Amino acid sequence: MSIATGREPQASMLLTQTPASVQLTIPSICYMESFSALEDEVKRNNYFKQQLDNQISEANRDLTSQHARSLFLNLGESRIDYERRLSDINLRLRQAMEQLSQKGEMIVLTANVIQESLNNIIIAQDPTDNLILHCILSHARLHPTAPKVFLSGNVREFRKLPEVQDALREVGITKYFSRTEDFLGWLQSQSTNFRF
């Protein structure tokens, strides 16, 4: 969603110009999580548009205020821009998913991973992130000798919790990046192949 919302412009570049030394890997559940986040964004958008519509209507009905007409026009333009931004988010999300599905390796959610996430709760406050973490850990165990780094903007769960950092280190994921720009800078300083 960071790509879709425009918070990580370098991530878009990484998808379109993936270095040969990088193997992008993403848990399949992250696709579903992104669609859920998009649905939440649409709901917030619809609520906001309803509020805008109410204010537009009120400004249009105000025949005495010297500012009402200007407000009416500006809010109308804002509503259009807001709708266009949501379209941009939707388009960027779909493009990112398409690029990832073509260039990346998908970590399949298995019954064993689900059981492990239920039996070994590392991220108690967020079951979805706990499941994502277990997908990553399971995949990393399948590639014990491959160098691995982790890139996620979800700092609250993945960087700040020591238990998460310990679990990642145990499977050979020793580097964590919350920003694509930082990852790309680090990658330029390396010369080996990395899974990510």
Side-chain angles (χ1 to χ4, degrees), residues 41-53:
E41 186 74 26
V42 168
K43 286 177 188 172
R44 282 190 301 276
N45 181 52
N46 288 339
Y47 176 77
F48 183 73
K49 283 193 308 188
Q50 182 61 49
Q51 298 303 312
L52 269 177
D53 287 343

Side-chain angles (χ1 to χ4, degrees), residues 28-50:
S28 59
I29 190 174
C30 291
Y31 289 93
M32 192 64 195
E33 184 185 40
S34 293
F35 279 127
S36 293
L38 180 61
E39 287 175 19
D40 289 345
E41 186 74 26
V42 168
K43 286 177 188 172
R44 282 190 301 276
N45 181 52
N46 288 339
Y47 176 77
F48 183 73
K49 283 193 308 188
Q50 182 61 49

Side-chain angles (χ1 to χ4, degrees), residues 45-62 68 71-72 75-76 79:
N45 181 52
N46 288 339
Y47 176 77
F48 183 73
K49 283 193 308 188
Q50 182 61 49
Q51 298 303 312
L52 269 177
D53 287 343
N54 292 342
Q55 294 303 315
I56 289 169
S57 177
E58 287 300 315
N60 193 37
R61 293 170 53 194
D62 186 340
L71 180 61
F72 170 77
L75 289 177
R79 188 182 193 287

Side-chain angles (χ1 to χ4, degrees), residues 121-173:
I121 299 172
I122 300 171
I123 305 174
Q125 64 274 23
D126 192 328
T128 301
D129 285 339
N130 189 59
L131 185 56
I132 289 169
L133 176 63
H134 281 283
C135 285
I136 293 165
L137 297 175
S138 173
H139 183 269
R141 285 185 199 103
L142 296 174
H143 306 278
T145 59
K148 299 169 271 300
V149 299
F150 184 47
L151 172 62
S152 171
N154 187 347
V155 175
R156 186 180 57 203
E157 269 74 38
F158 294 119
R159 175 177 265 168
K160 291 188 177 178
L161 294 176
E163 311 85 54
V164 172
Q165 290 298 302
D166 291 344
L168 291 170
R169 268 192 299 277
E170 285 175 18
V171 296
I173 302 172

Side-chain angles (χ1 to χ4, degrees), residues 171-186:
V171 296
I173 302 172
T174 57
K175 292 280 185 195
Y176 171 87
F177 297 95
S178 60
R179 296 175 354 141
T180 306
E181 181 179 9
D182 296 337
F183 165 70
L184 291 172
W186 174 82

